[in-house]
């Protein structure tokens, strides 16, 4: 039976409930009266159920799709403003014991170059990332209890936080590693991580088991219940995602929203972020082998419907997507992007030799961080390197309460401007600095609270004079 509060994966992600939801959506996708009713509910900006949102996703009436897009833009602006949070991935190791058929790290791949960073190599990578201007990292590693035990991950986190180069510092480390135990989640929490990220890949159990034929990741329930264990271990910021292209996208969409509803119902805290990766070419992976790929228009519709259904969540699109796709998605709900990314093990400090390919997937947006920052500001987005909420303890239900009450902007807007000023002073090209300083002047005047505005102006003047790390 479907039970949103259950601790069992097959009950809170219930196959029959998803099938019933898809049937309901098909039956009502042309029901204008119902669609209007759902859109009116969504305008309250408290979200939608998986069934309601599935009706909007199934709807193919052009004028209604435009209404969905307009509402997604409105919700994004009200909750997150024009800020776009910047981050970069750092791959620590591609040793893996799993047999995932969509990932080149699978243990049977003898072509890929296997690598694992030493602590000195981690340090050099972090210096290179700091010299680009990054303050927030997402660390990644394959699942291998011998080569990548939790102790190695913890040591890497400690190394990353310890590196202070010139004015650089990594202020938030998010962690994307395999499902693990409550005890290990407690260790990650104690290490000071930001968000724990784990992609479900697919919520369709039968497909999941075929796509993960061997290795510990084969266990659907253990993987799907990982976020519950993370919460039990004290990690209150978690990030979801599916790999679009593995299974029918409407099935994945419903499952993703059911997972968010489960976390809200059981823990009172939904996903801090939702990522929307699509399968991409990699070392021995051909996306054409998977017959559930989605086109750009469908992809945009998915993003807009997630934004409407889960208005509070941060939404992430990585350099898997090219510039034009990212530009389109930014308008429909995306609030975080990566820039200047490498998906190889290392590669920031020194380019990876062509004969030592260790990348998890091919990058579609190869621009530098400065080029991405420049591009964002020309579209009137504020590139934000802010980590203040995490460092001030505004995580989990504390963060969500502020966000759902639309109060987080009182902190986030000035914090974004201050961290942008740091970037402009320390790392930006001359053109980017000029564009950015003009943006800061404009955006300061938009701060409604006069006291906050004055403090922000003083802090930005102090940043220009050489001081760093101000935050509300």
């Amino acid at each position: 039976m479907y039970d949103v509060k259950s601790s069992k994966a097959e009950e809170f992600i219930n196959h029959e409930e998803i099938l019933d939801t898809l049937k309901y959506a098909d039956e009502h996708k042309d029901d204008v009266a119902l669609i209007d009713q759902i859109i009116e509910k969504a305008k309250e900006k408290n979200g939608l159920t998986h069934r309601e949102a599935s009706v909007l996703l199934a709807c193919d009436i052009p004028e209604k799709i435009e209404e969905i897009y307009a509402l997604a833009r409105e919700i994004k602006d009200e909750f997150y403003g024009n800020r776009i949070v910047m981050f970069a991935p750092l791959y620590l190791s591609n040793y893996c014991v799993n047999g995932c058929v969509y990932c080149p790290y699978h243990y049977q791949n003898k072509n890929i170059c296997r690598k694992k960073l030493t602590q000195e190599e981690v340090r050099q990578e972090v210096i290179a990332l700091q010299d680009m201007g990054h303050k927030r990292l997402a660390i990644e590693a394959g699942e291998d209890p011998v080569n990548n035990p939790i102790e190695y991950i913890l040591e890497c986190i400690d190394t990353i936080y310890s590196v202070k180069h010139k004015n650089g510092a990594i202020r938030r480390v998010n962690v994307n590693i395999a499902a693990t135990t409550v005890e290990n989640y407690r260790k990650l929490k104690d290490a000071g991580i930001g968000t724990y990220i784990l992609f479900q890949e697919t919520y369709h159990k039968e497909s999941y088991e075929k796509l993960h034929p061997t290795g510990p990741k084969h266990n659907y329930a253990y993987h799907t219940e990982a976020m519950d264990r993370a919460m039990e271990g004290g990690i209150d910021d978690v990030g979801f995602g599916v790999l679009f292209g593995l299974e029918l996208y409407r099935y994945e969409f419903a499952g993703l929203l059911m997972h968010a509803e489960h976390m809200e119902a059981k823990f009172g805290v939904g996903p801090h972020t939702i990522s929307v990766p699509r399968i991409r070419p990699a070392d021995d992976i051909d996306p054409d082998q998977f017959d559930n790929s989605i086109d750009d228009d469908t992809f945009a519709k998915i993003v807009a419907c997630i934004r409407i259904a889960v208005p509070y969540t941060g939404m992430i699109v990585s350099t898997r997507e090219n510039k034009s796709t990212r530009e389109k998605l930014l308008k429909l709900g995306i609030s975080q992007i990566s820039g200047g990314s490498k998906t190889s093990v290392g590669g920031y400090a020194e380019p990876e030799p062509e004969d030592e390919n260790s990348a998890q997937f091919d990058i579609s947006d190869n621009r530098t961080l400065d080029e991405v920052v420049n591009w964002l500001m020309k579209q009137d987005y504020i590139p934000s390197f802010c980590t203040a909420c995490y460092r001030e303890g505004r995580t989990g239900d504390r963060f969500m309460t502020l966000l759902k009450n639309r109060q987080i902007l009182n902190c986030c807007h000035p914090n974004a401007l201050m961290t942008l000023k740091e970037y402009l002073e320390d790392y930006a090209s001359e053109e980017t600095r000029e564009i950015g300083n003009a943006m800061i002047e404009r955006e300061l005047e938009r701060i409604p609270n006069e006291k906050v505005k004055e403090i922000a102006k003083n802090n930005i003047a102090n940043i220009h004079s050489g001081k760093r790390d101000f935050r509300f």
Side-chain angles (χ1 to χ4, degrees):
M1 292 179 61
Y2 174 53
D3 182 355
V4 70
K5 292 185 178 181
S6 173
S7 298
K8 295 182 179 180
E10 291 183 72
E11 293 180 357
F12 66 78
I13 306 293
N14 182 264
H15 179 65
E16 286 72 26
E17 170 63 21
I18 295 180
L19 295 183
D20 286 347
T21 293
L22 300 185
K23 182 174 182 290
Y24 179 85
D26 283 333
E27 291 171 347
H28 293 89
K29 66 186 181 68
D30 299 317
D31 185 341
V32 174
L34 177 62
I35 291 165
D36 285 344
Q37 180 182 332
I38 293 171
I39 290 174
E40 284 303 309
K41 178 184 176 182
K43 288 179 180 178
E44 298 173 6
K45 302 181 177 69
N46 294 317
L48 297 174
T49 67
H50 62 275
R51 186 162 292 203
E52 292 165 337
S54 292
V55 173
L56 297 188
L57 185 62
C59 172
D60 54 11
I61 303 169
E63 56 268 30
K64 295 304 169 186
I65 294 174
E66 287 306 312
E67 286 185 44
I68 291 167
Y69 285 178
L71 181 55
R73 288 191 287 269
E74 181 182 326
I75 290 172
K76 160 60 170 47
D77 186 62
E78 185 165 328
F79 280 81
Y80 284 94
N82 61 338
R83 297 171 298 107
I84 301 295
V85 172
M86 308 302 302
F87 75 96
L90 175 57
Y91 284 75
L92 303 175
S93 169
N94 62 0
Y95 285 96
C96 193
V97 298
N98 287 309
C100 314
V101 302
Y102 52 84
C103 177
Y105 288 179
H106 65 88
Y107 78 101
Q108 289 181 318
N109 186 357
K110 307 303 180 185
N111 300 318
I112 199 167
C113 181
R114 300 290 178 177
K115 294 182 180 180
K116 173 184 175 181
L117 298 181
T118 66
Q119 295 309 306
E120 178 55 29
E121 287 171 331
V122 170
R123 183 176 181 277
Q124 293 305 316
E125 292 297 299
V126 171
I127 288 173
L129 284 157
Q130 288 178 0
D131 283 347
M132 291 165 60
H134 279 294
K135 307 292 185 190
R136 177 190 300 239
L137 299 184
I139 61 173
E140 322 257 355
E143 184 170 10
D144 187 321
V146 174
N147 288 292
N148 314 327
I150 191 66
E151 291 75 19
Y152 170 70
I153 303 299
L154 297 171
E155 187 179 9
C156 289
I157 294 169
D158 185 61
T159 298
I160 292 167
Y161 279 137
S162 73
V163 178
K164 303 292 186 288
H165 180 65
K166 298 179 180 177
N167 284 331
I170 301 302
R171 298 171 179 167
R172 179 177 177 128
V173 177
N174 298 333
V175 175
N176 184 353
I177 62 169
T180 187
T181 63
V182 173
E183 180 185 2
N184 284 343
Y185 287 126
R186 289 198 183 101
K187 291 177 181 178
L188 289 171
K189 175 66 175 179
D190 291 343
I193 74 164
T195 305
Y196 172 67
I197 303 163
L198 184 67
F199 295 169
Q200 180 63 26
E201 320 300 2
T202 176
Y203 284 100
H204 191 290
K205 183 181 178 183
E206 184 178 348
S207 296
Y208 181 97
E209 291 174 345
K210 290 178 180 176
L211 291 163
H212 307 92
T214 59
K217 197 169 179 176
H218 176 74
N219 188 329
Y220 173 85
Y222 188 78
H223 186 87
T224 311
E225 295 161 9
M227 294 307 185
D228 290 46
R229 295 193 301 278
M231 285 284 184
E232 291 167 20
I235 298 174
D236 51 6
D237 281 353
V238 297
F240 295 174
V242 294
L243 185 54
F244 285 102
L246 298 181
E247 183 49 72
L248 295 174
Y249 72 88
R250 289 174 55 211
Y251 190 102
E252 305 293 28
F253 176 85
L256 187 65
L257 297 189
M258 289 168 72
H259 203 168
E261 291 167 352
H262 165 69
M263 299 303 289
E264 281 271 15
K266 187 173 179 183
F267 300 101
V269 181
H272 188 75
T273 57
I274 291 178
S275 299
V276 287
R278 287 191 288 184
I279 194 165
R280 281 286 177 254
D283 181 76
D284 69 338
I285 304 299
D286 179 2
D288 292 338
Q289 295 176 329
F290 303 90
D291 56 6
N292 292 306
S293 61
I294 53 175
D295 60 32
D296 289 348
D297 289 340
T298 301
F299 192 35
K301 195 175 175 186
I302 290 169
V303 168
C305 288
I306 292 174
R307 172 50 68 211
I308 290 171
V310 198
Y312 59 81
T313 195
M315 290 190 67
I316 301 174
V317 66
S318 75
T319 51
R320 282 177 181 265
E321 300 298 335
N322 61 33
K323 174 185 174 182
S324 62
T325 300
R326 301 218 291 176
E327 191 165 313
K328 183 176 183 179
L329 299 182
L330 284 170
K331 299 173 183 177
L332 298 176
I334 295 299
S335 59
Q336 295 189 26
I337 66 171
S338 50
S341 302
K342 303 289 184 184
T343 65
S344 53
V345 180
Y348 292 107
E350 294 289 340
E352 184 174 64
E354 290 186 8
D355 61 346
E356 294 184 8
N357 178 33
S358 64
Q360 189 183 37
F361 58 86
D362 293 351
I363 288 173
S364 298
D365 187 345
N366 288 290
R367 291 175 295 169
T368 66
L369 178 60
D370 190 77
E371 289 172 329
V372 173
V373 168
N374 186 303
W375 163 72
L376 286 172
M377 292 191 299
K378 286 178 177 176
Q379 298 178 84
D380 203 35
Y381 294 111
I382 304 170
S384 174
F385 298 86
C386 179
T387 58
C389 285
Y390 154 71
R391 296 163 76 216
E392 290 292 326
R394 294 191 293 263
T395 61
D397 58 354
R398 295 170 296 286
F399 175 83
M400 289 297 178
T401 298
L402 287 170
L403 188 62
K404 291 175 182 179
N405 292 331
R406 274 69 124 197
Q407 295 299 313
I408 201 70
L409 287 175
N410 293 329
C411 304
C412 290
H413 187 251
N415 282 336
L417 296 177
M418 292 186 296
T419 58
L420 174 58
K421 182 63 174 177
E422 288 184 339
Y423 175 83
L424 298 176
E425 291 291 323
D426 294 337
Y427 309 107
S429 64
E430 184 175 345
E431 181 194 20
T432 299
R433 187 176 300 116
E434 183 178 341
I435 296 170
N437 283 327
M439 166 169 268
I440 288 172
E441 289 298 316
R442 293 195 309 272
E443 292 290 337
L444 281 170
E445 297 308 315
R446 293 182 57 198
I447 298 174
N449 185 300
E450 289 299 324
K451 183 178 179 180
V452 171
K453 183 190 296 185
E454 192 62 29
I455 293 171
K457 285 182 176 180
N458 289 335
N459 289 347
I460 285 171
N462 284 325
I463 291 169
H464 181 66
S465 299
K467 295 183 180 179
R468 296 291 179 271
D469 200 13
F470 296 96
R471 61 184 183 268
F472 286 93

